Amino acid sequence: MTARTIDRDTAKRKPAAKAKVEAIAKAKAVVPGVAARIGSTPKTKFRGDPDIFGRLVEDHDRHRALLAMIEETEGKSPDRQALFKELVKELKAHAAAEEQALWSSVLRDPETTDFARHAIAEHKEIDDMLGDLAARDMASPGWLRRFAALKEEYLHHVGEEEQEQFVAAEAHLGATDVRYMRRVFNRRKKEEKAAARVERKIKLKP
């Protein structure tokens, strides 16, 4: 048994189900009256983990809930606007903090460089999709279709992270690294979210 495994076993770890419920509750706090039907989520050993990977999965579950809640809204309603604004700020802040806390270190290891580059490239794609959605009429028939494409891309992205990229990164990081990365992530995300703005940029074809 490695020192990292022992550290994980003795650390304060939340049950996965409880961690998921708490993450969804944070999304629900934005608009309490809208349902958050996220359904089943990909299996991951990191949910409830006290270190960086568990913290990232916590955000992923929060974002899954926001995406599901937006689908429950209609037209250009105040609920849809509030939820979309929260989603944009969350995804922008999460991506920036994740890149600094985790991927900047992982990039330096030749064995995990490709995983890091792939994750960062998908962050850019998702940001472009958010900007495109923000620039279009929420009440138009095409908005939900474009939103569905964003949701599909995001769920694919976090599924890859949780089941492949985090696993590969974890194998090359020590217990001290992942504890430190969580602190960096929390600090950077708070700063990024406070500064995040909804940017309207049509970049995709009609």
Side-chain angles (χ1 to χ4, degrees), residues 20 38-44 47 61 64 162-163:
K20 185 174 175 180
I38 74 172
S40 61
T41 51
K43 199 168 184 181
T44 174
R47 186 171 283 110
D61 285 341
R64 287 176 172 114
E162 293 171 4
Q163 296 180 302

Side-chain angles (χ1 to χ4, degrees), residues 41-44 46 60 64 122 152-167:
T41 51
K43 199 168 184 181
T44 174
F46 299 113
H60 293 173
R64 287 176 172 114
E122 288 192 339
E152 182 179 8
E153 177 66 21
Y154 182 76
L155 295 183
H156 166 78
H157 168 69
V158 297
E160 278 191 331
E161 284 191 334
E162 293 171 4
Q163 296 180 302
E164 299 173 26
Q165 293 158 5
F166 291 172
V167 175

Side-chain angles (χ1 to χ4, degrees), residues 16 22 43 53 56 67 70 79 81 85 105 113 121 144 173 195 197 205:
E22 289 178 356
K43 199 168 184 181
F53 300 111
L56 294 172
L67 289 163
I70 289 171
D79 286 351
Q81 292 181 66
K85 181 179 180 180
S105 295
T113 294
L144 269 181
L173 297 169
R197 299 290 180 270
K205 294 180 181 179

Side-chain angles (χ1 to χ4, degrees), residues 58-76:
E58 176 191 331
D59 266 13
H60 293 173
D61 285 341
R62 183 176 184 174
H63 302 159
R64 287 176 172 114
L66 288 170
L67 289 163
M69 292 170 73
I70 289 171
E71 287 184 322
E72 297 286 331
T73 62
E74 296 182 359
K76 201 171 183 179

